[in-house]
Amino acid sequence: MTPATIAMNNEVLRLGSERLLRQLHSEGLRYRLWVTGTARGSTVHLRIPELGPEMRDRIIRVLQGRGARLDIEDARVA
């Protein structure tokens, strides 16, 4: 993959992830999201204040299976 293709893929993953998280956001979820990637794959990073295990599980269910690794952490840890 070229750097331009990687950047486009990362942007598609970011936009798609934002769309999938829209319902949780409307329920009050606040987060910081960004995507990093290489030719070997991409990672969706989320930092969420006061992340609890139930919300983490919900987020994983929403975002898993999209062809990217997930890095979900409490914002206080990052």
Side-chain angles (χ1 to χ4, degrees), residues 46-62:
L46 282 163
R47 296 300 179 264
I48 303 154
E50 301 178 23
L51 176 64
E54 299 85 15
M55 183 55 72
R56 181 180 170 80
D57 290 345
R58 285 184 72 190
I59 293 167
I60 289 170
R61 283 193 306 272
V62 167

Side-chain angles (χ1 to χ4, degrees), residues 14-31:
R14 186 190 67 76
L15 292 171
S17 298
E18 292 277 0
R19 182 182 51 79
L20 290 169
L21 291 169
R22 191 173 295 151
Q23 175 63 39
L24 295 176
H25 181 76
S26 72
E27 294 175 22
L29 178 67
R30 298 296 175 254
Y31 57 86

Side-chain angles (χ1 to χ4, degrees), residues 1-3 7 21 31 33 39-43 45-47 49 63-64 70 75-77:
M1 287 174 124
T2 67
L21 291 169
Y31 57 86
L33 182 145
R40 297 192 70 199
S42 296
T43 302
H45 304 271
L46 282 163
R47 296 300 179 264
L63 295 180
Q64 73 184 0
L70 300 175
R76 295 173 293 178
V77 175

